[in-house]
Amino acid sequence: MNQTARRIGRSLALVLPVVLVLSGTLAVSSVPWAGQRSEAQLLTASAENVSVRSAEPRTPEDVLRDRLLTELEREDPGVALTHLQRAVEDSPSLARHCMSIARDLGTAAVRVYGPTEAQSYSRPVCDTSFAGGVASAS
């Protein structure tokens, strides 16, 4: 009986955050202002600027996103999520970017760790956007 309860608990721990994220974010992602692009457009846009250095300085949220993605690969998603939460607490102006950064971390975690292990790091940082990124990448 103990193993059955443990199995049910693990299943709920994996599925429940995904269900909560999908129920809360599907409506937002389907609106026209969500900025969805095809993969071909993204590849073309990135290929155009390969050898040209941008004249504009990088925004603080882009610097934070890159730093956290590097941390995710070097350490684990838990460390990156903790540092994201601290960065938002230290600099409240980053709060409006928190969800997109957490979603990008979730997507990257699936690439690096696989969907099951990536989901195990999920926690309610930035309205569970990390779990949304894991779900979208799985």
Side-chain angles (χ1 to χ4, degrees):
M1 172 140 172
N2 192 15
Q3 289 180 343
T4 304
R6 186 174 287 148
R7 194 174 306 139
I8 290 170
R10 285 182 183 164
S11 296
L12 283 175
L14 182 65
V15 173
L16 189 59
V18 174
V19 170
L20 290 173
V21 167
L22 290 176
S23 66
T25 59
L26 282 177
V28 174
S29 66
S30 66
V31 293
W33 48 264
Q36 297 175 344
R37 296 183 183 182
S38 71
E39 192 169 332
Q41 287 175 319
L42 292 174
L43 291 174
T44 302
S46 65
E48 291 174 355
N49 298 325
V50 169
S51 62
V52 178
R53 192 172 281 268
S54 176
E56 298 179 31
R58 294 177 37 144
T59 61
E61 61 270 14
D62 288 339
V63 172
L64 176 63
R65 178 180 284 111
D66 290 348
R67 190 186 81 205
L68 294 174
L69 288 169
T70 302
E71 254 179 18
L72 181 139
E73 291 179 17
R74 289 184 182 162
E75 300 205 31
D76 66 58
V79 172
L81 286 171
T82 298
H83 289 157
L84 172 60
Q85 189 169 7
R86 286 186 187 150
V88 170
E89 290 169 1
D90 293 342
S91 181
S93 64
L94 292 171
R96 66 181 181 172
H97 305 287
C98 187
M99 290 174 55
S100 68
I101 293 171
R103 191 174 302 114
D104 290 347
L105 290 173
T107 303
V110 170
R111 276 195 319 270
V112 176
Y113 298 97
T116 304
E117 186 175 349
Q119 186 63 40
S120 71
Y121 289 100
S122 185
R123 59 180 128 145
V125 175
C126 304
D127 196 22
T128 65
S129 295
F130 177 84
V134 171
S136 69
S138 297

